[in-house]
Amino acid sequence: MTDSRIVVVGAGLAGLSCARHLHAAGVEVEVLEASDDIGGRVRTDESDGFLLDRGFQVLLTAYPECRRQLEYEDLDLHGFYPGAAVRFGGRFHTLADPWRRPLAGFLAALAPIGSLGDKLRVARLRRRLLATDLDAVFSSPERTTLEALKQEGFSSLMIERFFRPFLGGIFLENELETSSRMFEFVYKMFSSGSTALPGAGMRAIPLQLARGLPDNAVRTNCRVIELQTKKVRLESGEWVEGDAIVLAHAFSEGFQLPSGIPKFSWCSTVTLYFSAPQPPITRPILVLNGEGEGPVNNLCVPSQVAPSYAPDDRALVSASVIGGQAGSHDGLDCDLESAVRDQLHGWFGPQVEKWELLRIYRIRHALPSQSPPHLEPPERPVRIGERLYTCGDHLDTASIQGAMVSGRRAAEALLADLASERAG
């Protein structure tokens, strides 16, 4: 198929995944990226020796597509502690995975984050999901996550103190309106593998994908402003033509997206990064706000997970706020920083006064909304017009897994069409 040439618009995980599969099949591919670098929503900035992911993100190593496409050893993965520290009643209470930390898991049964019956229901849920394949998960009756948790029998205390901040930080909405299918998928992934950060930051994932492409296959600073059959026009005025176009993004500031791309809303988030003289927590653990007060939903110290995230003499603290608006404004940033510092001062004491704000990321398009009906059918079509395809996590699961799966699906559909045309 070396006589075919495909244009992929967008160098996020979906676009890079699609391009890799096309290239592996012998198809010439050109990837056009509007911004100054690849990765889409999975990018990392360097600042004074710190690695700042654009929004708090992690890699779930159990993702099947990541296992299929990525070389984990080359990513230099560093795992989180299998559990969480829940802030409640003026203290931190550790909820550990009893299968990976048996003693800590036994002690967690005594923590005032839900009843003993709730802890047994967690074990039952874990056992059921580990025994359920993904096809069954995505064909199960669909409801909201909150309704699913109640149906499982979890108490309101367990939901409010653990599930709401934990799942809120994953789905970036704290009403737990996300599809129960997505909840069960994510919970199965957490139970099946580890939660990790690459040593070079989350940017290591798109960089590894891009290494599977020819050196000149990706062009950055190439914003598309017009789409026609088998060609696109760049902001510079240049027309780029191909045998087919793949739109590897879910929104555009440059041109109107075709009607074949499904409409949906976005969840937003704000991440604040601080430089601290010493880490406020010593374990590589996720901290959850189980008190339901204050702007911070979850916190971690990435440099305790992967030391390369900070200089040797400093610690990097990440605090996440759900639903913050993306527009940056000095006054808004100052107000938010003040509110976050006040909350964390209550958690960690006077040491917070010595923390230096490194950066605030206000991310409006952080994650596609996944409220029911979320996946009907489980995988949305990738063919949307004549010689026109699309991919992105809005078409599958809103996750790293979903982005990479959709990219592969778009490539497979396109390759099948090319093969069919040649056979005909």
Side-chain angles (χ1 to χ4, degrees):
M1 294 186 182
T2 54
D3 58 336
S4 298
R5 184 174 186 275
I6 308 302
V7 177
V8 178
V9 181
L13 298 187
L16 293 171
S17 171
C18 180
R20 273 170 54 105
H21 281 85
L22 293 172
H23 173 66
V27 175
E28 181 184 355
V29 61
E30 182 170 12
V31 184
L32 305 175
E33 169 57 40
S35 69
D36 61 354
D37 203 355
I38 65 171
R41 285 175 277 140
V42 183
R43 291 182 59 176
T44 305
D45 296 318
E46 294 188 39
S47 177
D48 297 327
F50 293 93
L51 296 179
L52 309 179
D53 294 327
R54 295 194 180 184
F56 174 63
Q57 303 177 52
V58 297
L59 174 64
L60 302 185
T61 62
Y63 281 150
E65 194 67 19
C66 291
R67 288 181 169 180
R68 177 176 181 168
Q69 294 198 41
L70 298 175
E71 297 292 337
Y72 283 176
E73 185 174 347
D74 290 344
L75 289 177
D76 183 28
L77 296 177
H78 299 257
F80 279 77
Y81 181 88
V86 181
R87 179 72 180 187
F88 178 75
R91 296 177 54 200
F92 293 105
H93 306 273
T94 299
L95 293 184
D97 184 337
W99 289 269
R100 306 180 204 191
R101 296 290 190 276
L103 177 59
F106 172 77
L107 296 176
L110 306 177
I113 312 297
S115 66
L116 178 59
D118 285 319
K119 314 299 173 40
L120 295 176
R121 292 182 189 95
V122 167
R124 182 182 65 191
L125 175 63
R126 182 183 189 274
R127 183 170 59 250
R128 174 174 69 81
L129 292 177
L130 286 177
T132 305
D133 64 36
L134 289 180
D135 288 340
V137 167
F138 288 115
S139 61
S140 63
E142 191 176 24
R143 57 188 69 87
T144 68
T145 292
L146 181 58
E147 291 168 340
L149 291 172
K150 290 180 177 179
Q151 186 167 327
E152 292 284 342
F154 289 109
S155 70
S156 59
L157 291 180
M158 186 68 173
I159 292 173
E160 295 303 317
R161 296 177 186 176
F162 173 70
F163 282 113
R164 194 177 296 278
F166 175 62
L167 296 173
I170 298 169
F171 302 140
L172 304 185
E173 57 91 7
N174 53 21
E175 299 301 319
L176 300 183
E177 294 177 346
T178 294
S179 167
S180 57
R181 294 175 179 176
M182 188 64 188
F183 156 62
E184 291 192 347
F185 164 68
V186 167
Y187 206 85
K188 178 179 175 68
M189 294 297 100
F190 272 103
S191 301
S192 303
S194 63
T195 305
L197 293 175
M202 292 296 289
R203 66 181 176 184
I205 297 173
L207 287 174
Q208 186 180 106
L209 291 175
R211 283 199 295 272
L213 297 171
D215 291 342
N216 59 351
V218 181
R219 295 172 58 188
T220 57
N221 296 307
C222 290
R223 182 178 299 279
V224 172
I225 62 171
E226 185 177 348
L227 171 66
Q228 293 187 12
T229 302
K230 298 198 294 184
K231 64 180 180 179
V232 296
R233 183 163 64 93
L234 305 182
E235 197 171 42
S236 64
E238 175 189 356
W239 284 96
V240 181
E241 299 186 27
D243 294 288
I245 306 294
V246 180
L247 298 178
H249 55 99
F251 65 95
S252 175
E253 299 175 356
F255 64 97
Q256 184 67 36
L257 291 175
S259 59
I261 294 182
K263 305 296 183 183
F264 59 91
S265 59
W266 287 89
C267 298
S268 57
T269 186
V270 181
T271 301
L272 297 88
Y273 284 111
F274 297 94
S275 167
Q278 60 274 329
I281 53 173
T282 57
R283 290 180 297 176
I285 195 169
L286 180 68
V287 179
L288 303 176
N289 178 6
E291 297 174 323
E293 299 179 354
V296 177
N297 179 79
N298 55 277
L299 174 143
C300 79
V301 183
S303 54
Q304 292 300 105
V305 182
S308 51
Y309 267 69
D312 292 340
D313 59 343
R314 305 292 292 183
L316 177 65
V317 181
S318 166
S320 296
V321 178
I322 294 175
Q325 294 302 308
S328 180
H329 184 278
D330 290 343
L332 292 176
D333 284 353
C334 289
D335 290 345
L336 180 60
E337 180 190 355
S338 178
V340 166
R341 283 186 182 274
D342 286 346
Q343 181 179 353
L344 298 184
H345 191 283
W347 288 10
F348 302 116
Q351 65 172 296
V352 176
E353 299 169 9
K354 299 179 181 179
W355 294 3
E356 300 174 9
L357 179 68
L358 293 172
R359 194 166 301 182
I360 296 179
Y361 289 97
R362 295 181 175 270
I363 306 172
R364 180 181 177 187
H365 297 115
L367 196 71
S369 174
Q370 303 162 97
S371 300
H374 172 46
L375 296 174
E376 298 285 357
E379 294 180 336
R380 296 186 176 117
V382 294
R383 296 181 182 90
I384 58 174
E386 181 184 357
R387 298 296 185 97
L388 184 61
Y389 303 79
T390 186
C391 57
D393 63 347
H394 57 293
L395 301 176
D396 289 80
T397 59
S399 60
I400 292 173
Q401 159 80 10
M404 293 172 63
V405 166
S406 72
R408 173 173 56 81
R409 286 203 300 119
E412 290 171 346
L414 200 161
L415 291 170
D417 290 347
L418 291 176
S420 177
E421 290 174 6
R422 283 170 172 76

